[in-house]
Structures are given as C-alpha cells and as structure tokens.
Amino acid sequence: MTQPYSVSRRSVLRTLALGGVGSLAGCLGGFETQSAWRDPPLVENRPNAVYLPAITEGMKLYGRKTAGPYGVALTYSYPHRFWTLTGAERTKTPVRSQDSIHLMVSLWDEKTGTVLPLDAGVAIEITRGDELVTQEVAYPMLSQQMGFHYGANYALDGEGEYTATVRVGGVSLNRTGSFAGRFERVERVAFDFTFDTDDLYDVDIRRLGDRQGTRDAIAPMEMGFPIGRAPDTDSLPGQHLGSQTSGDAVFDTFVVEDGSRFGVEQSYLYVSARTPYNRIIVPMMGLDATLTRDGEQLLDRTLARTLDPTVGYHYGTPVDTVESGDVVELSVDVAPQVARHDGYETAFFEMPPMTFRS
C-alpha cells in the first residue's frame, strides 16, 4: 500500500534537477518540473461526492488584521487549479503560465468568530510601490485545507515587496439577532508582504497514496482563525426535524416556535447545510421549502440566505406554525455557487429533494 507522503515543492524540483525523477516517481507520481508546478495529479474516476484528492498543498500566513467589524487573514500557497460554477455549469480554472501565487482571504465577525460568506464579495488589489500590479475578484471557495474562504491565482512582477489591499463589500443578506444592521459598509485593509519563491517552494505537498479517491476529507489546517464550520446540531435552537443528505451535503432542519429572535412574529423554519466529515458550511444555494399538513400545502417558499450569530450562515423563513405530523420538503433549485478545490468539485450538484416530518 502506498503511504501518504509529505514533501515541499522545492524538494521536488531540486530532486528533478539532480536527475532523481525515478526516485520520486513512486511517491509523487513522476512529476516533471512544469507539471509539478502547473497541473498536479487528479484522481481518476472521481465519485460524485466529497473525496480525498490525489495531493494536498499546504499554506502559509501573510498576516491577520481587523477591518471594521471583520477579522481578515491573508494566506498563500502555490497557484491552484479550481472549479467555478455558473448555475449548474462547472468550469475548470487552470493555472496560467503567468500565475505566481494563490492568495486566500478568510473573513469572520470579530465579535462572534462567525465566518461570513458575503454576497457582495471580496477583491484583492496588489501594488508595488505606486504601481498597480493586478486586481482580481477573489472567488468564494470551498477547500478541504481552508474550509470556506475567498481566493484566486495572481500574477506578480517577480520577487520583492508588495502590498495586497483586501476590499470587503457590504452585505445585503438577511441578518438576524445581533447581526441585524451590521456589515453594511465597504471595508479595506492592507497587507505588506514579500514574495519569495524559495519561501513559496517550501510549502508542503502531501500525496495521499492509496487513500486518494476515497469518500472522505482531510482535516482543515489550524491557522488560529475560523474556517467556517457549521455549529454542532446539539447547540442549535429549536426542534430538530432531522438530518438528510442530498448531493453529499448534509441538511439539518429546525423549527423555532417563537421566532422573535429572528425578527419574525411567527415561528421560524431554518436549515443549516454543511459538508460531510468536517462540517464546513455550504452557502450560496437556492433552497426551496414546502410545508404540508393533512395533504394541504400551507407553505411554498424559497428560504432566505441568512446570517445569525448563533445559527451562523443558514436558510430560513417565517412560518405560521409547524404541528406534529406536518411534512417539510426541501429542494435545491440552484446548486451552491461557490468555487471548489480538489475533493469538492464533484459534490453538491445532483441534489434530490428531502423530506422531514415533525
């Protein structure tokens, strides 16, 4: 059995330069210099689910700061391929020859530690002195190493000193509890950093051996800031109607009899969606709900994407009442519109309806 193997990319390239391709072929898949940098191995016959990728790449921290109500961390790794979504269409974004680095922004509420998937998004502007080098939108992303974050590949102008200015857009999402009225202003925060290829090459690569392709996920890296885990179901308020899996995402559905803390006068029906294995939030989907009692449909509504300090990112709606025997059906109208790294890119697409009974 091939065992997991960890190495830095600089070690890979150094070994190749010394003619050691054969010695690495068994543990790193016979990388060549360009393929090691640009297009690492991809699991064949991937399941339509969360799976262990062929390799994982580590990351390092450029800094952590506060911008208004936000905690912001800027991390980096090698340029990565990733997949974006437009509706149900998945598009691979390969690493371009000019790409220098993959920058990632983690974003959370400083008061509660709640990770914030924002509809207005995040952009990164990179300057060198007074010169603009590049400016790109950072995609909302799911990664097994990073959880939920914003990221993209960026082309730099060689080694040296740079400033990355992170722009955080305001929020139009529904917000409840102490989040009501917050996160509306645009905020900016700047990180000075040194781009050094030797430093970048020292980021670890890990091949997962015979485990690759298995329906599982590696544990996210612990970097000292939130990664976007959904709360434990035992800690969530209300009656738990149950847990169902669709498209390999896990949906936990609740009803709170007194919805006043969510800003409604009726009861409140909500759904917390998360990945299997690591409980990372699954945001930015279109989720519809119906409520049926004794064969009569009482509710047919799209659930609102909502931020709450206790429930976190969820999908919710007011409802008059939910009685014993009522049937709640959930259906995913729009797949989660988040970019995905290896291990998530085949999951959360075909998502059959789910039925819950109170």
Side-chain angles (χ1 to χ4, degrees):
M1 175 181 292
T2 305
Q3 296 299 316
Y5 184 93
S6 184
V7 68
S8 72
R9 200 177 299 245
R10 182 164 61 172
S11 299
V12 176
L13 301 181
R14 183 188 300 120
T15 303
L16 291 170
L18 294 173
V21 177
S23 66
L24 279 171
C27 59
L28 287 174
F31 281 178
E32 296 176 355
T33 301
Q34 287 303 313
S35 64
W37 178 259
R38 299 298 168 192
D39 202 15
L42 184 63
V43 172
E44 297 181 0
N45 302 317
R46 294 166 287 164
N48 294 323
V50 178
Y51 69 92
L52 290 173
I55 69 164
T56 63
E57 297 174 329
M59 62 184 179
K60 294 185 178 182
L61 178 68
Y62 273 142
R64 170 177 173 167
K65 294 187 176 185
T66 300
Y70 304 112
V72 185
L74 182 68
T75 55
Y76 66 98
S77 187
Y78 308 109
H80 288 342
R81 66 173 165 238
F82 56 90
W83 286 260
T84 59
L85 257 72
T86 303
E89 182 178 349
R90 180 182 65 189
T91 302
K92 179 181 175 181
T93 301
V95 176
R96 303 168 301 173
S97 60
Q98 65 266 37
D99 288 334
S100 307
I101 196 168
H102 188 81
L103 290 176
M104 296 160 281
V105 173
S106 294
L107 187 70
W108 65 92
D109 171 50
E110 273 284 11
K111 290 185 178 180
T112 64
T114 304
V115 165
L116 304 173
L118 305 183
D119 46 353
V122 168
I124 302 177
E125 176 188 273
I126 300 177
T127 54
R128 193 172 197 177
D130 295 329
E131 297 294 324
L132 175 65
V133 176
T134 184
Q135 184 172 8
E136 298 281 350
V137 170
Y139 295 93
M141 288 187 168
L142 290 175
S143 160
Q144 292 186 14
Q145 296 96 312
M146 275 288 288
F148 177 85
H149 65 284
Y150 301 84
N153 296 324
Y154 292 84
L156 304 180
D157 186 20
E159 296 185 330
E161 306 297 318
Y162 293 88
T163 298
T165 300
V166 177
R167 179 189 182 277
V168 181
V171 180
S172 61
L173 287 174
N174 191 34
R175 283 146 288 159
T176 55
S178 63
F179 282 179
R182 298 186 65 209
F183 315 125
E184 294 184 344
R185 293 179 52 187
V186 174
E187 301 286 352
R188 290 177 173 82
V189 61
F191 295 85
D192 294 327
F193 70 95
T194 301
F195 178 63
D196 182 334
T197 53
D198 281 345
D199 177 61
L200 184 64
Y201 281 19
D202 278 336
V203 174
D204 285 342
I205 306 169
R206 185 184 182 207
R207 185 179 176 189
L208 300 185
D210 292 343
R211 298 174 61 206
Q212 63 180 272
T214 304
R215 292 185 62 164
D216 199 349
I218 63 167
M221 295 183 68
E222 298 296 334
M223 300 286 286
F225 49 80
I227 59 168
R229 291 191 196 274
D232 286 319
T233 53
D234 291 345
S235 71
L236 291 172
Q239 177 191 357
H240 188 202
L241 302 186
S243 179
Q244 300 278 344
T245 298
S246 180
D248 216 29
V250 180
F251 295 77
D252 284 279
T253 301
F254 294 80
V255 61
V256 178
E257 185 175 350
D258 178 5
S260 57
R261 69 170 303 280
F262 295 98
V264 301
E265 297 180 356
Q266 309 107 300
S267 298
Y268 188 70
L269 174 72
Y270 73 90
V271 178
S272 176
R274 69 275 308 278
T275 67
Y277 316 117
N278 288 324
R279 220 174 66 239
I280 304 301
I281 55 175
V282 180
M284 302 178 181
M285 76 176 91
L287 186 61
D288 297 336
T290 62
L291 173 67
T292 304
R293 180 180 304 150
D294 297 329
E296 180 183 0
Q297 189 176 93
L298 304 178
L299 176 77
D300 184 358
R301 190 173 299 161
T302 298
L303 303 183
R305 298 188 291 272
T306 303
L307 287 171
D308 182 84
T310 300
V311 178
Y313 187 100
H314 67 279
Y315 305 83
T317 186
V319 56
D320 287 337
T321 60
V322 178
E323 299 179 359
S324 178
D326 286 357
V327 176
V328 175
E329 183 173 273
L330 301 180
S331 57
V332 177
D333 183 51
V334 179
Q337 299 296 291
V338 289
R340 297 97 179 277
H341 282 296
D342 291 11
Y344 281 135
E345 84 282 3
T346 56
F348 321 137
F349 282 100
E350 298 295 329
M351 308 184 81
M354 298 153 280
T355 300
F356 301 81
R357 189 176 295 273
S358 65

